[in-house]
Amino acid sequence: MFSYRIGIITASDKGAKGEREDISGKVIAEAVKSLGEVVAYRIVPDEQEILAKTMIEFSDEKQADLILTTGGTGFAERDVTPEATREVIQKYVPGIGEVMRQESLKITPKAMLSRGIAGIRNHTLIINLPGSPKAVKECLEVIMAALPHGMQILKGQASECARKD
Ligand code: MTE
């Protein structure tokens, strides 16, 4: 199987100040082990400019194939992860956000409160996950069903989708 370069960005004011342990980042690292290697990981404050710059750095310099963010997708004034993501992507991948919310709604009605998006910057897929470790686990479980195939297409490792599933 293919191995991908993975970047993890935790958006958390408290985490960036060292006032909160980043359990969600660790949950992501564990859940994506089968997809590849974590080549970049950072906890950043909920600042749109810093978030966007970190995504660009991970994509352009660290050559991450996949960037997973956690946190900053809700309604709080400082929740700006989707806005930062929108700034750096060229293509939207609406289905990923749709299916995370749709499946998560079966677990909690609060799932509708995440504004997380997904999109493609050059050859990097960027996905916003909500902030809590529980939400991260639930959302990753849903998207892992299609993520390996999506990554293969993105990286030009699979040219057609006519496989039986
Ligand atoms: N999605 C799943 N699967 N499970 C959850 O518990 N929590 C929700 C939502 N998405 C949740 C979820 C809640 S309570 C909020 S406020 C939003 O994600 C936004 O979270 P964030 O601001 O930490 O990104």
Side-chain angles (χ1 to χ4, degrees):
M1 272 316 277
F2 301 103
S3 179
Y4 299 104
R5 297 172 65 80
I6 300 163
I8 299 173
I9 301 172
T10 298
S12 165
D13 285 333
K14 285 200 173 132
K17 280 192 241 159
E19 292 171 6
R20 180 185 285 164
E21 192 193 346
D22 178 28
I23 297 171
S24 296
K26 293 193 178 90
V27 169
I28 297 176
E30 185 62 34
V32 297
K33 265 186 182 164
S34 63
L35 273 182
E37 183 197 351
V38 176
V39 295
Y41 163 66
R42 199 167 300 157
I43 308 174
V44 298
D46 292 285
E47 297 280 351
Q48 187 168 333
E49 200 184 328
I50 298 175
L51 277 157
K53 269 192 186 155
T54 308
M55 289 180 209
I56 291 171
E57 180 197 327
F58 283 15
S59 173
D60 299 6
E61 291 166 36
K62 303 265 192 312
Q63 301 278 298
D65 303 308
L66 172 68
I67 298 174
L68 294 157
T69 71
T70 172
T73 71
F75 290 5
E77 198 177 349
R78 289 184 58 76
D79 284 339
V80 290
T81 308
E83 286 65 35
T85 307
R86 205 169 55 202
E87 236 185 272
V88 306
I89 59 171
Q90 296 109 8
K91 293 177 183 171
Y92 281 100
V93 183
I96 291 181
E98 285 164 9
V99 81
M100 285 197 290
R101 274 179 285 274
Q102 180 188 317
E103 291 303 307
S104 296
L105 274 169
K106 295 175 185 168
I107 303 166
T108 170
K110 292 180 187 159
M112 71 178 86
L113 304 180
S114 173
R115 305 179 301 109
I117 65 165
I120 293 165
R121 175 184 176 83
N122 303 323
H123 292 285
T124 308
L125 175 64
I126 305 176
I127 301 174
N128 300 152
L129 302 167
S132 80
K134 171 184 172 289
V136 163
K137 210 175 280 175
E138 290 165 358
C139 289
L140 278 174
E141 259 169 39
V142 173
I143 60 174
M144 281 302 275
L147 207 48
H149 185 58
M151 294 304 299
Q152 285 174 24
I153 303 275
L154 181 64
K155 304 303 290 182
Q157 295 156 335
S159 53
E160 42 105 351
C161 307
R163 286 182 24 232
K164 277 191 223 136
D165 278 315

